């Protein structure tokens, strides 16, 4: 606090943009200068928080915000002024603004109105009600997804029938492209994963069956499990995470760039152009990948049996001949086309549902992978119960 010409001046050592506080008679004045913008908001905020205005115990004192020296102001600067004025008001100073241009005055009034507006009261929802609401929303989403997927299956089926009647509409280049990406290029990772899982299952089977003196039965377990479940499940999950997500990302990117709308405008059916080649490629690729996955799992189990049981490859192969029947191989392979259709349909449908933002694309890619894996496991369980019921 400085006394100068019978005036008390509270001053901050700041360069423009900045402010100073003066006491003139019975009026405390905040004189603002420079640019009060978001770029300077942090510095100005610190200075205003340190500002202490001594208010004598008298109702005659008033406050004044002189903003005639402000060269530029935005919402952040107006908020700082409004917050300071409100603090003075709560301290007993009736505060007004001086030197405001029309544009500054409109901005400050709008910030003041927004800052003093009453916030809507949010009713507290009981936890049980929240659970019920979440459950209802989830069930509604599941029902909506089921209806949309069924409808989409109908569209693809109708397009497939039209393609059979008009085979010249088939796009072989697109089919071969997706067959290469979804099939041939997925072979190394599928083979590796199935090989490792086959080895792990054999190792764990030997360890657990040792307690019963039935270590050789681990070969039976690996052989049957690989052909009926491990091969198809692991391959389908890998394809859903790799190719299903790729389908969604590719079609979703086209949807974001409005390429699909342009195709419809030109009279090109997106189902024929984008969906059918992907579905056909996956229907062909997934059974072949499943077959290679079965072989990889058996090879992995054979390597571990050689290491832990001392079964040489010829002996291991002879035991496989005794254990494996064609019905085991058929029980696994029959699931592959259905899993391929589900993965391709879910991936393409989620891509067509992308709205137009990167956030939407990411959400639908994630949704496609999760839904495809869930449906593949459901299909596997249904087939397992059905085939067991008919004796296969």
């Amino acid at each position: 606090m400085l006394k100068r010409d019978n005036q008390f001046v509270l001053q901050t050592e700041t360069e423009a943009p900045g402010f100073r506080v003066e006491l003139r008679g019975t009026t405390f004045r905040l004189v603002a200068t420079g640019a009060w913008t978001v770029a300077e908001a942090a510095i100005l905020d610190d200075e205003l928080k340190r500002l202490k205005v001594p208010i004598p115990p008298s109702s005659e004192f008033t406050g004044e915000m002189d903003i005639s020296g402000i060269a530029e102001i935005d919402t952040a600067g107006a908020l700082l002024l409004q917050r300071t004025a409100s603090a003075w008001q709560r301290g007993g100073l009736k505060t007004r603004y001086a030197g405001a241009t029309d544009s500054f005055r409109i901005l400050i009034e709008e910030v003041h109105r927004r800052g003093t507006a009453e916030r809507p009261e949010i009713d507290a929802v009981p936890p049980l009600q929240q659970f019920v609401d979440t459950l209802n929303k989830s069930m509604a989403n599941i029902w909506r997804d089921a209806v949309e997927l069924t409808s989409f299956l109908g569209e693809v089926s109708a397009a497939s029938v039209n393609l059979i009647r008009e085979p010249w509409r088939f796009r072989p280049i697109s089919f071969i492209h997706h067959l290469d990406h979804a099939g041939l290029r997925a072979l190394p990772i599928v083979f590796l994963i199935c090989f490792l899982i086959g080895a792990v299952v054999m190792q764990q089977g030997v360890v657990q069956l040792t307690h019963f003196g039935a270590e050789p039965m681990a070969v039976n377990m690996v052989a049957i499990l690989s052909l009926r479940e491990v091969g198809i499940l692991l391959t389908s999950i890998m394809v859903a995470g790799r190719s299903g997500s790729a389908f969604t990302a590719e079609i979703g990117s086209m949807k974001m760039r409005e390429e699909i709308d342009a195709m419809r405008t030109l009279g090109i059916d997106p189902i024929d152009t984008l969906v059918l080649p992907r579905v056909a490629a996956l229907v062909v690729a997934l059974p072949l990948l499943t077959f290679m996955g079965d072989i990889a799992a058996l090879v992995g189990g054979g390597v571990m049996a050689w290491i832990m049981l001392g079964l040489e490859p010829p002996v291991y192969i002879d035991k496989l001949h005794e254990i494996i029947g064609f019905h085991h191989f058929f029980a696994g392979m029959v699931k592959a086309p259905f899993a391929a259709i589900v993965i391709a349909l879910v991936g393409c449908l989620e891509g067509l549902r992308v709205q137009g933002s990167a956030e939407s694309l990411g959400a639908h890619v994630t949704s496609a992978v999760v839904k495809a894996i869930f449906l593949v496991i459901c299909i596997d369980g249904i087939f397992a119960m059905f085939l067991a019921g008919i004796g296969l």
Side-chain angles (χ1 to χ4, degrees):
M1 181 74 70
L2 302 177
K3 184 175 182 182
R4 183 182 303 162
D5 298 332
N6 295 325
Q7 294 181 350
F8 290 95
V9 179
L10 182 62
Q11 196 168 4
T12 59
E13 297 180 359
T14 58
E15 299 178 357
F19 64 90
R20 68 179 185 276
V21 178
E22 304 173 345
L23 177 59
R24 292 188 176 180
T26 59
T27 302
F28 283 100
R29 299 178 69 246
L30 185 145
V31 182
T33 58
W36 283 54
T37 61
V38 66
E40 307 292 340
I43 299 175
L44 293 171
D45 185 38
D46 292 338
E47 295 295 336
L48 288 171
K49 286 180 179 178
R50 290 197 295 266
L51 176 62
K52 303 295 183 183
V53 179
I55 303 176
S58 172
S59 61
E60 298 177 357
F61 284 85
T62 60
E64 182 179 276
M65 297 283 183
D66 186 356
I67 61 175
S68 59
I70 293 181
E72 184 181 359
I73 191 172
D74 60 8
T75 306
L79 179 61
L80 293 177
L81 290 173
Q82 189 269 333
R83 190 185 65 186
T84 304
S86 298
W88 287 14
Q89 293 274 13
R90 291 192 298 269
L93 285 177
K94 295 181 180 180
T95 306
R96 63 183 182 87
Y97 288 93
T101 62
D102 291 340
S103 58
F104 285 9
R105 178 179 53 79
I106 292 173
L107 177 61
I108 292 173
E109 289 178 354
E110 181 64 19
V111 171
H112 177 72
R113 185 179 67 84
R114 298 279 183 176
T116 56
E118 293 185 1
R119 300 294 188 271
E121 295 184 0
I122 300 177
D123 296 333
V125 181
L128 181 59
Q129 184 64 38
Q130 291 182 359
F131 173 77
V132 173
D133 293 342
T134 302
L135 182 62
N136 289 338
K137 185 177 180 180
S138 300
M139 296 302 296
N141 290 336
I142 292 174
W143 175 253
R144 183 200 62 187
D145 290 340
V147 170
E148 291 185 2
L149 186 60
T150 304
S151 176
F152 190 62
L153 175 61
E155 293 182 33
V156 174
S157 300
S160 301
V161 173
N162 293 334
L163 188 63
I164 295 174
R165 292 187 299 187
E166 301 174 355
W168 59 87
R169 297 172 57 184
F170 183 68
R171 298 177 179 269
I173 295 178
S174 179
F175 169 76
I176 294 174
H177 169 78
H178 294 297
L179 184 61
D180 172 50
H181 280 263
L184 184 60
R185 300 192 183 187
L187 181 57
I189 186 64
V190 169
F191 193 92
L192 176 61
I193 293 298
C194 290
F195 175 87
L196 294 176
I197 294 300
V200 170
V201 171
M202 176 65 76
Q203 185 267 339
Q204 288 296 313
V206 171
V207 170
Q208 299 302 322
L209 292 175
T210 300
H211 302 294
F212 307 97
E215 299 94 329
M217 295 300 296
V219 177
N220 301 50
M221 180 182 68
V222 171
I224 296 174
L225 192 61
S226 297
L227 294 183
R228 297 183 71 99
E229 299 296 337
V230 171
I232 177 61
L233 262 183
L234 286 179
T235 304
S236 298
I237 291 173
M238 292 299 298
V239 170
R242 186 181 181 277
S243 301
S245 61
F247 291 171
T248 303
E250 292 165 359
I251 297 177
S253 298
M254 296 179 66
K255 184 75 179 298
M256 290 172 59
R257 295 193 296 264
E258 300 182 352
E259 295 179 26
I260 294 179
D261 294 334
M263 292 172 61
R264 291 194 176 100
T265 302
L266 295 174
I268 302 174
D269 188 358
I271 300 296
D272 292 343
T273 308
L274 302 176
V275 178
L276 284 182
R278 287 174 167 82
V279 174
L282 214 57
V283 168
V284 173
L286 190 57
L288 297 177
L289 289 174
T290 301
F291 175 76
M292 295 305 300
D294 292 345
I295 298 300
L298 293 176
V299 171
V303 171
M304 191 56 63
W306 193 3
I307 294 173
M308 299 192 68
L309 299 178
L311 289 179
E312 296 183 354
V315 179
Y316 178 73
I317 293 174
D318 289 339
K319 289 186 68 66
L320 291 181
H321 286 162
E322 298 173 3
I323 298 166
I324 297 175
F326 178 76
H327 63 283
H328 295 309
F329 175 73
F330 175 80
M333 293 299 297
V334 73
K335 307 171 188 176
F338 296 93
I341 292 173
V342 167
I343 294 170
L345 289 180
V346 170
C348 295
L349 177 60
E350 291 296 324
L352 292 172
R353 292 170 64 180
V354 173
Q355 296 299 318
S357 64
E359 181 181 3
S360 175
L361 179 62
H364 284 288
V365 168
T366 304
S367 179
V369 175
V370 174
K371 291 177 183 177
I373 293 176
F374 172 77
L375 291 176
V376 163
I377 295 175
C378 290
I379 289 175
D380 180 79
I382 293 172
F383 268 97
M385 291 186 293
F386 174 75
L387 293 176
I390 63 176
L392 286 179

